[in-house]
Amino acid sequence: MKIKLAAFGAIATILAAGPVSSADVVRPEAGAGWVYVGTTHAQHMNDHDTIIVTGPHTNFRALQVRVTDAPLHMQRMIVTYDNGEPQDIRIRFNIPKNGVSRAIALRGGTRSIRQIDFWYDTKGWLRGTANVTVFGQH
């Protein structure tokens, strides 16, 4: 099912509705204000990784996942905010090699993030490790 969004705020409604298909994987918009959050390496022998969010930029209203070197099927993310509150996001993205997810809105607007946990299946495990990089938007 393809859904066209007229406003960025509608993304949160889409996330609550269920899985996202590979048709929702898009290229990043130039000048959209995305900043680097962190990187992990999805290896075929693991199915879970964590990015600890550090640095001067920890407050975000949306996240975006970019994958290089191998395709990846991401099943879910848990974003843990600085107050310890988790947000379980069941995304089910099929992200191709060198692909980018759509923007993933965070609950409650701009939030300070402590860590991001990922659960995934690597599709190209015989071709190497998928590098998973997260970008945030203020």
Side-chain angles (χ1 to χ4, degrees), residues 91-102:
I91 52 180
R92 297 188 184 127
F93 285 144
N94 284 312
I95 305 175
K97 177 180 176 180
N98 301 321
V100 180
S101 75
R102 65 171 173 74

Side-chain angles (χ1 to χ4, degrees), residues 51-68:
I51 291 177
I52 303 297
V53 181
T54 61
H57 301 290
T58 61
N59 293 310
F60 303 103
R61 63 184 172 98
L63 299 175
Q64 185 178 68
V65 180
R66 302 179 190 183
V67 175
T68 58

Side-chain angles (χ1 to χ4, degrees), residues 21-76:
S21 72
S22 59
D24 291 316
V25 176
V26 296
R27 291 281 168 206
E29 296 178 29
W34 294 100
V35 296
Y36 176 81
V37 174
T39 299
T40 189
H41 310 287
Q43 299 177 354
H44 70 276
M45 58 194 119
N46 296 334
D47 66 350
H48 172 255
D49 279 306
T50 300
I51 291 177
I52 303 297
V53 181
T54 61
H57 301 290
T58 61
N59 293 310
F60 303 103
R61 63 184 172 98
L63 299 175
Q64 185 178 68
V65 180
R66 302 179 190 183
V67 175
T68 58
D69 298 331
L72 187 76
H73 175 74
M74 188 164 296
Q75 300 167 346
R76 96 191 240 221

Side-chain angles (χ1 to χ4, degrees), residues 76-103:
R76 96 191 240 221
M77 294 170 50
I78 294 182
V79 176
T80 303
Y81 299 108
D82 276 347
N83 67 0
E85 176 191 353
Q87 180 179 352
D88 190 348
I89 305 170
R90 297 191 181 267
I91 52 180
R92 297 188 184 127
F93 285 144
N94 284 312
I95 305 175
K97 177 180 176 180
N98 301 321
V100 180
S101 75
R102 65 171 173 74

